[in-house]
Amino acid sequence: MEIVEYCFGEEKFLTQIERCEWRAAKYLAHLLKEDKLQTALGGWGKLYLLTEGDTLVSFITLSERDCISVSECAKTPWLGFFHTAPEYRGKRLGKMLIDHACDCAHEKGYHRIYIATDHIGLYEKYGFTYLKNATDIYGEDSRVYYKDI
């Protein structure tokens, strides 16, 4: 397994992101194709991929903002678009990506990181603490978690 940073135009991984069953992955693929990821992520952001050879196992973004409006939660940085392929789930492989993104945020001088989700019980096992519910940019309720890094 290897963690790599996505580079614009990497078709083999873009195609795999696009084929994911998750609706948000399809939106991520659209942003990547249109080279609009940086704008969507608040001006800066990275997409990290966990790969096994040419196979995409998991991915996550580290960015200035996510889907929570600034008026709801003016915090930064955020993890987002976290996904692990179904055949790799249950092996805690995604933890490698979360830890990597947290390390990168810490190297940038951050001491806390945030994630917005509708999941309950998923991010707690990675050391995240529930902060509050907030409305996302689509008008939906989302749970905001944080982790000290």
Side-chain angles (χ1 to χ4, degrees):
M1 298 281 175
E2 179 182 20
I3 295 175
V4 297
E5 186 178 324
Y6 177 85
C7 294
F8 180 71
E10 283 186 285
E11 288 298 320
K12 66 182 172 187
F13 296 124
L14 178 57
T15 301
Q16 291 177 64
I17 292 169
E18 195 171 37
R19 289 183 185 154
C20 287
E21 76 289 350
W22 184 40
R23 184 184 75 199
K26 296 184 186 318
Y27 178 60
L28 174 61
H30 167 76
L31 292 173
L32 293 169
K33 279 183 177 181
E34 300 293 321
D35 197 19
K36 294 182 178 178
L37 184 64
Q38 298 303 318
T39 302
L41 297 179
W44 67 266
K46 303 283 184 180
L47 171 59
Y48 299 109
L49 313 172
L50 178 63
T51 63
E52 186 174 48
D54 287 340
T55 301
L56 180 60
V57 174
S58 189
F59 54 87
I60 196 167
T61 57
L62 170 65
S63 62
E64 182 178 359
R65 72 170 185 243
D66 193 44
C67 62
I68 302 299
S69 71
V70 174
S71 64
E72 285 280 335
C73 191
K75 309 286 187 190
T76 196
W78 291 83
L79 297 178
F81 289 105
F82 179 55
H83 180 270
T84 300
E87 60 272 24
Y88 290 97
R89 292 179 187 159
K91 301 174 185 174
R92 295 187 57 98
L93 296 172
K95 182 181 184 317
M96 294 170 57
L97 270 182
I98 288 173
D99 290 348
H100 178 78
C102 287
D103 290 346
C104 292
H106 191 262
E107 288 173 12
K108 287 181 161 275
Y110 294 104
H111 299 288
R112 183 172 277 182
I113 197 161
Y114 301 87
I115 193 163
T117 183
D118 59 354
H119 293 287
I120 298 172
L122 176 61
Y123 295 101
E124 292 89 340
K125 69 183 178 186
Y126 297 119
F128 284 82
T129 302
Y130 172 76
L131 178 64
K132 68 177 194 170
N133 277 32
T135 304
D136 66 20
I137 59 175
Y138 307 106
E140 297 177 6
D141 196 44
S142 191
R143 296 174 61 84
V144 176
Y145 289 84
Y146 73 90
K147 180 178 182 177
D148 291 325
I149 52 176

